[in-house]
Amino acid sequence: MKILVVGNGGREHTLAWKLANDTVKPEIFCTPGNAGTATLGTNLSYGATDLEGIRSWCADNRPDLVVIGPEAPLCAGLTDVLEADGIRVFGPCKAAAELEGSKQFAKEIMKAGGVPTSAYETFTDPDAACAYVRERGAPIVIKADGLAAGKGVTVAETIEQAEAAIRDALEDSAFGDAGSRVVIEDFLEGEEASILALIDGEHVVMLASSQDHKRIFEKDQGPNTGGMGAYSPASIVNDAVWEKVRDEVYGRTLAELKRRGITYKGVLYAGLMIKNDQPSVVEFNCRFGDPETQAVLARWDGDMLPAINGVIDGNLSDEMVQWKDNHSVCVVMVAGGYPGDYAKGDEIENLDTANAVDDTVVFHAGTALDGDKVVTAGGRVLGITSLGRDLPDALSKAYIAVESISFNGAFYRNDIAHREMKRLGMDFNKE
Ligand code: GLY
């Protein structure tokens, strides 16, 4: 069996690792992949948004399955292109991926379907947008409507910051076409958590809960990143929250999509803000989260292919998804300077030592091969992921592995899972 994984981040290495370990032992291809995926199979040279290149490779090589990782090819319609050629694809079609591709569309669906989320308005005129933020007050959230490589969201603490974000997007085209329309949302208070759900068009199977850490520095300080670490499960998602997410978030969203003739098949990521056991949707993503995937798939018990096939064939069931009792942690190591400018090409040392730590896998993100050396090639470089009998055990293994790895300028947060540790009465401070 041949599987092609599209993408080159930590999420894609994790998906490729999980699929490579399936009982059927498939042959794995990744495009473009990274130094980690190269250890599992063959990296191809097509970029994730090279729809024509990927289509042509699939036409020649007829993979049994294509798993699309990132949002950009999904929103560009890679699923539709490949399915038209008779290829089996895991990932939503272009119309369904609009839940991530357009923040306005996602908000419209939520409003029409009665999904809990913050109040919002959409603007293309900067003066009207600025007048709206003056009326609503701060803090307030300004989002570029389209895909902006994770950079299109400003949580403005003041009216001045909000107005600057509006003018950056609408007047100075800071996000190109993606920011030619902005969605302005009320700020939500609470604690964030992530739920990923597999959906086969009808049935929803929610995966284990997790919590990401978006800010670059400890105690959630500094600029936002793609995610500095995650753990699973996240107990903020208690039984009451779980049921509300299932019914009020996924149930109502799917019903509204269906009412509009859109079928969602793939994974749908709900970024949630939870307060007093009430979840509200901060964002939808049409893909697995990164680094949530590392923490969540580490806990997946058994094969993942039956569930992926269930999504594609429309016969997904709860029994296809089982969890280990363990807790997991993923600590992301980044290149110095990230999320600003950072160096590339620095050699990464001691990966074998880290991988030899019990119950630990080093997932690669921004890495590449330079001869026989593994070098840095992106801002988020590695996601060191460990399983433990409990959260402290998982943390201890993950940080032992992290501390054994070195590369020039390596940086990571020491406080991944700090909220959960506090809930456990174990303030976690490794400094
Ligand atoms: N961890 C955030 C995301 O995947 O969008």
Side-chain angles (χ1 to χ4, degrees):
M1 178 183 195
K2 276 192 218 167
I3 300 180
L4 173 65
V5 176
V6 176
N8 65 346
R11 166 186 49 220
E12 286 78 26
H13 184 197
T14 311
L15 286 164
W17 165 83
K18 186 67 193 158
L19 294 167
N21 283 301
D22 194 279
T23 310
V24 302
K25 295 283 174 255
E27 189 182 0
I28 300 288
F29 296 83
C30 286
T31 197
N34 57 33
T37 62
T39 66
L40 300 169
T42 306
N43 283 350
L44 310 176
S45 57
Y46 309 104
T49 52
D50 180 358
L51 270 55
E52 191 43 43
I54 295 170
R55 190 203 66 75
S56 151
W57 185 87
C58 289
D60 292 343
N61 294 277
R62 304 307 297 177
D64 300 285
L65 172 67
V66 177
V67 176
I68 304 173
E71 63 277 16
L74 290 164
C75 292
L78 181 57
T79 300
D80 313 55
V81 166
L82 297 180
E83 283 184 347
D85 284 354
I87 304 284
R88 280 170 74 76
V89 183
F90 177 85
C93 64
K94 186 173 191 219
E98 272 296 275
L99 277 180
E100 178 164 3
S102 166
K103 308 291 174 271
Q104 181 189 26
F105 175 73
K107 281 294 209 182
E108 258 175 46
I109 294 286
M110 288 189 263
K111 191 173 176 184
V115 177
T117 190
S118 55
Y120 79 103
E121 289 290 341
T122 306
F123 297 90
T124 51
D125 172 44
D127 293 333
C130 290
Y132 180 73
V133 298
R134 285 195 294 273
E135 180 197 317
R136 296 302 284 186
I140 194 157
V141 182
I142 318 297
K143 292 183 176 173
D145 177 50
L147 293 184
K151 296 200 166 84
V153 178
T154 302
V155 179
E157 304 289 344
T158 64
I159 298 294
E160 291 69 30
Q161 284 172 7
E163 292 192 349
I166 289 166
R167 297 206 183 275
D168 276 353
L170 295 182
E171 287 181 351
D172 300 337
S173 301
F175 309 109
D177 279 355
S180 59
R181 182 159 59 190
V182 294
V183 173
I184 303 184
E185 299 179 1
D186 287 359
F187 175 76
L188 285 170
E189 286 185 0
E191 184 170 333
E192 286 193 65
S194 307
I195 298 275
L196 312 168
L198 298 180
I199 302 174
D200 70 357
E202 288 288 334
H203 311 104
V204 177
V205 177
M206 284 159 48
L207 307 188
S209 60
S210 58
Q211 186 172 66
D212 188 9
H213 300 66
K214 296 248 170 58
R215 305 293 187 121
I216 183 77
F217 298 129
E218 277 137 34
K219 302 193 174 77
D220 301 314
Q221 303 293 310
N224 266 329
T225 67
M228 293 296 291
Y231 64 93
S232 174
S235 69
I236 185 77
V237 183
N238 58 26
D239 290 349
V241 173
W242 182 266
E243 282 175 27
K244 285 181 185 160
V245 175
R246 186 191 59 211
D247 299 341
E248 297 175 13
V249 175
Y250 287 107
R252 293 179 190 175
T253 301
L254 281 202
E256 182 57 29
L257 287 174
K258 199 184 259 186
R259 208 179 60 73
R260 296 172 185 228
I262 298 171
T263 302
Y264 199 103
K265 282 185 165 203
V267 64
L268 180 59
Y269 165 136
L272 304 167
M273 189 65 81
I274 299 165
K275 189 172 182 198
N276 300 330
D277 288 348
Q278 178 59 51
S280 298
V281 176
V282 177
E283 62 177 355
F284 278 131
N285 295 317
C286 61
R287 51 168 174 81
F288 284 97
D290 190 340
E292 290 94 332
T293 305
Q294 291 85 321
V296 170
L297 291 199
R299 297 186 54 227
W300 186 300
D301 200 9
D303 289 343
M304 192 184 182
L305 265 177
I308 295 228
N309 285 326
V311 166
I312 296 170
D313 296 330
N315 57 13
L316 179 69
S317 66
D318 288 325
E319 304 72 53
M320 291 172 178
V321 182
Q322 305 292 331
W323 301 104
K324 296 178 181 165
D325 284 340
N326 307 64
H327 291 243
S328 64
V329 171
C330 172
V331 178
V332 174
M333 295 182 82
V334 302
Y338 172 82
D341 293 339
Y342 53 81
K344 290 183 185 175
D346 288 309
E347 184 175 0
I348 306 169
E349 291 181 285
N350 302 327
L351 288 165
D352 288 347
T353 313
N355 268 313
V357 174
D358 283 348
D359 306 316
T360 297
V361 185
V362 178
F363 291 117
H364 291 226
T367 70
L369 287 171
D370 179 5
D372 55 5
K373 288 192 231 161
V374 177
V375 299
T376 63
R380 289 193 293 171
V381 176
L382 301 167
I384 293 82
T385 306
S386 297
L387 278 177
R389 63 184 172 278
D390 52 23
L391 180 62
D393 186 38
L395 281 166
S396 156
K397 289 170 180 162
Y399 278 109
I400 287 170
V402 165
E403 284 161 14
S404 72
I405 295 172
S406 58
F407 55 89
N408 201 15
F411 178 79
Y412 56 89
R413 274 179 64 161
N414 266 306
D415 67 345
I416 297 306
H418 64 96
R419 290 186 198 81
E420 194 77 5
M421 289 296 273
K422 196 165 182 188
R423 272 193 281 277
L424 294 170
M426 301 172 71
D427 262 332
F428 181 60
N429 190 349
K430 293 189 75 275
E431 288 149 305

